Structures are given as structure tokens and as C-alpha cells.
Amino acid sequence: MTAAGMNLSKAFIFILVFIFACGFLCAPAGANDIFIADSQGNTLKHVNSGLVFPYTAGGFTAGNDVRAYDPSGNDVSVPYNLIRGNDYVAATVYVYAMPAAPGRNGGEILNEHFEGLKAEILNAYKGALVSEDKTSLKGMTGRMAVFKVELMGEISESELYLSSHKGWFIKYRISYPARSASFARPEVSKFVNSLNLIQGN
């Protein structure tokens, strides 16, 4: 790796470590009515959907940069990160309301949205679609795709997962340097298969 690449990697790791240090259960400004923090269970519950974000999942730790993208709380995200030596994986889990679509079933809506998300990624980044498939996460069927893109000046792999639950889209965006792929891929698999958002819902 070049010196510039090493500096970018160190900067990225510093950002992730800073997120860890801030603490997961510090609710963001303006989010007090959108999330309920449970300090005993180390979870954060999204009030509108009832979905529950645990502090840790499959070796990943949640960061503090919890976001609400609209005042109603129908569009939110929670970051998860994993750092081990010089390898790191950054994940963000998004929950947002599915659109009303009379006469159309949920599977059709999900597939159409998935195709739109793929197009957005390929338009936003220099890269290519590597693979895609159907998936099932904690009983929620959906779709997934893997991309190879340029992020922060280096080639990265970026994974997209999309499923739905009771009128809500659940989207995972997970990225890691391509050089860390042999480390990251099994860790990502453990994460997506262990993250249980529907507990108590």
C-alpha cells in the first residue's frame, strides 16, 4: 500500500474509533422522541417501527452517529463498525417507511426499490456490480448485491442488503477496503446473520 493509502486508512480508522468513544446510547439531538435507549439491555429502539438496534452484533459495535432524516422519525439510520488491526468494516443500517402502493404487493415494491438503489450506487461511485442474489435475514426475505467501487481514493467492496418488515424497509450498506476482503467477508456474514432488529416487536 502507498503512503497516501496508509494515511487514508489511518484517518478512516481514527474516525471510527472516535465514533466508538462517543458511545452508542447518547441519543442524538432531536432524536429523543424517535428512539428509546435501554441502558440495561444496551439497545436502542426505533419508536415508529418498533425495531430494536443492539449495541453489538457479530463482532460489530454500534456508533454514536444515529440519524433521523425527517422530523416524523420515519427515516433513520444507525452505524456499526468493526476494527481489527489494519482491517476495518463500516456498516450502516437504515430503516424507513415503505411507500403506499395500492394494488401492489410488498415483493414487487421491494424489488423495484432494490433496482433503484443499485442504480444510485453505480451512478454515485466509480465502480461495478460484482454479484447479486436473494437473501433471508432473520426470516426477512430480500435482495443483496456486492459492488467494487472507489472510496476515499482506494478500491473498496460495498455490500447492499434490502428487506422489509411490517411496512418498513430495512437496508444495510456495508463497505471495506478490497485489500481487507478476506477478513471482512466472513465478518459481514456473521453481522448480517446475527443482527436481530425484530426482537420484542
Side-chain angles (χ1 to χ4, degrees):
M1 175 184 285
T2 65
M6 286 290 286
N7 288 338
L8 282 171
S9 296
K10 288 178 181 176
F12 195 80
I13 290 173
F14 174 79
I15 291 169
L16 295 184
V17 170
F18 176 76
I19 289 171
F20 283 2
C22 287
F24 173 61
L25 295 176
C26 300
N32 293 331
D33 297 328
I34 297 172
F35 292 96
I36 297 174
D38 180 353
S39 56
Q40 291 187 339
N42 282 329
T43 61
L44 195 64
K45 182 176 182 178
H46 177 228
V47 174
N48 291 4
S49 69
L51 297 173
V52 177
F53 295 86
Y55 176 54
T56 59
F60 283 64
T61 304
N64 185 55
D65 192 20
V66 177
R67 297 189 180 188
Y69 300 98
D70 69 325
S72 68
N74 285 336
D75 188 354
V76 300
S77 69
V78 174
Y80 284 87
N81 304 292
L82 173 64
I83 303 173
R84 196 165 299 162
N86 290 322
D87 296 311
Y88 55 87
V89 187
T92 305
V93 180
Y94 300 84
V95 173
Y96 49 103
M98 296 176 70
R104 303 185 63 204
N105 65 47
E108 292 173 336
I109 297 169
L110 186 142
N111 286 333
E112 182 178 292
H113 185 45
F114 181 75
E115 293 301 323
L117 291 173
K118 286 195 308 179
E120 285 180 14
I121 292 169
L122 292 173
N123 287 332
Y125 301 99
K126 182 179 179 181
L129 174 66
V130 175
S131 64
E132 62 178 293
D133 205 348
K134 294 180 180 178
T135 187
S136 179
L137 303 174
K138 294 296 180 183
M140 300 179 292
T141 58
R143 303 275 302 279
M144 65 86 66
V146 179
F147 303 83
K148 191 163 283 190
V149 298
E150 186 175 319
L151 289 175
M152 296 179 65
E154 67 177 327
I155 302 302
S156 298
E157 291 191 12
S158 186
E159 301 188 20
L160 164 69
Y161 295 80
L162 182 69
S163 58
S164 64
H165 178 71
K166 295 184 177 179
W168 296 87
F169 280 127
I170 301 170
K171 178 178 72 175
Y172 300 0
R173 284 296 311 276
I174 306 170
S175 298
Y176 45 87
R179 60 177 174 76
S180 297
S182 60
F183 160 79
R185 288 172 186 159
E187 297 297 334
V188 169
S189 180
K190 284 190 286 185
F191 172 69
V192 299
N193 286 296
S194 65
L195 183 63
N196 184 12
L197 301 180
I198 60 175
Q199 54 186 315
N201 188 23

